[in-house]
Amino acid sequence: GYFILGYYLRIVVVKKSVLWGFFVIGVLSLAVTIYGTFTFTKANAGVFYEFFYSNYSPTTALIAIAMFLLVKQLKTTMGAKLVQLIGGTTFGIYLVHALLLNYFVTNWLDFSELSNWLSIPLTAFIIFVVSFIVSYIIGNIPILNKIMP
């Protein structure tokens, strides 16, 4: 569904007023995700409550829409090139990120001394960068780029 949604959002022209509405809804959805996850995890004796992080959660979909529309608005040359570079590796990033996350968190990344407010974004950033590098390298190897474009 996200592929179809992305295609639709790419071809549709969104008015500025609607665009700002989606940005506000995206920020509110992010706040609901953070607050809801914290509240329900706490009420569930500290066991992670993952509803808000699910691919099928309404808040996840609204955040994705807002982020897509935000990136679509990047009109600078550098911004457009960065989006194009990362965009060409997103499928590869998707394919390798879970494997890398499992490996890095199990064997290398230990942020137990840090607050979750810092450790979660830091882990996400590191996994994204490493996944991008792996995907980019594989995408430039002639035989392997057939498997992971």
Side-chain angles (χ1 to χ4, degrees):
Y2 282 106
F3 290 119
I4 295 168
L5 177 62
Y7 172 76
Y8 176 75
L9 290 174
R10 184 176 66 87
I11 63 171
V12 72
V13 176
V14 181
K15 294 180 183 178
K16 290 279 186 189
S17 59
V18 174
L19 192 63
W20 281 105
F22 271 111
F23 293 158
V24 170
I25 290 170
V27 169
L28 291 174
S29 294
L30 181 61
V32 167
T33 298
I34 293 168
Y35 179 78
T37 301
F38 175 78
T39 303
F40 283 99
T41 297
K42 190 174 180 181
N44 198 21
V47 177
F48 179 65
Y49 186 79
E50 64 183 63
F51 168 76
F52 295 100
Y53 281 86
S54 165
N55 290 337
Y56 306 110
S57 166
T59 56
T60 300
L62 292 170
I63 293 167
I65 291 169
M67 288 299 297
F68 188 97
L69 292 174
L70 176 67
V71 170
K72 184 179 171 185
Q73 296 305 307
L74 292 176
K75 300 218 189 280
T76 65
T77 305
M78 184 179 151
K81 286 182 182 180
L82 182 63
V83 168
Q84 187 175 14
L85 178 65
I86 293 172
T89 61
T90 54
F91 187 58
I93 291 170
Y94 171 75
L95 291 176
V96 301
H97 86 279
L99 178 68
L100 292 173
L101 180 62
N102 185 39
Y103 174 77
F104 275 81
V105 170
T106 304
N107 299 306
W108 189 65
L109 294 177
D110 180 18
F111 295 130
S112 57
E113 301 294 322
L114 298 176
S115 160
N116 286 343
W117 291 97
L118 184 59
S119 67
I120 292 172
L122 187 58
T123 300
F125 179 75
I126 291 170
I127 296 302
F128 172 78
V129 169
V130 174
S131 297
F132 169 77
I133 292 168
V134 168
S135 178
Y136 184 79
I137 290 170
I138 291 174
N140 285 306
I141 297 174
I143 295 172
L144 295 179
N145 69 2
K146 304 286 189 249
I147 298 168
M148 188 166 61

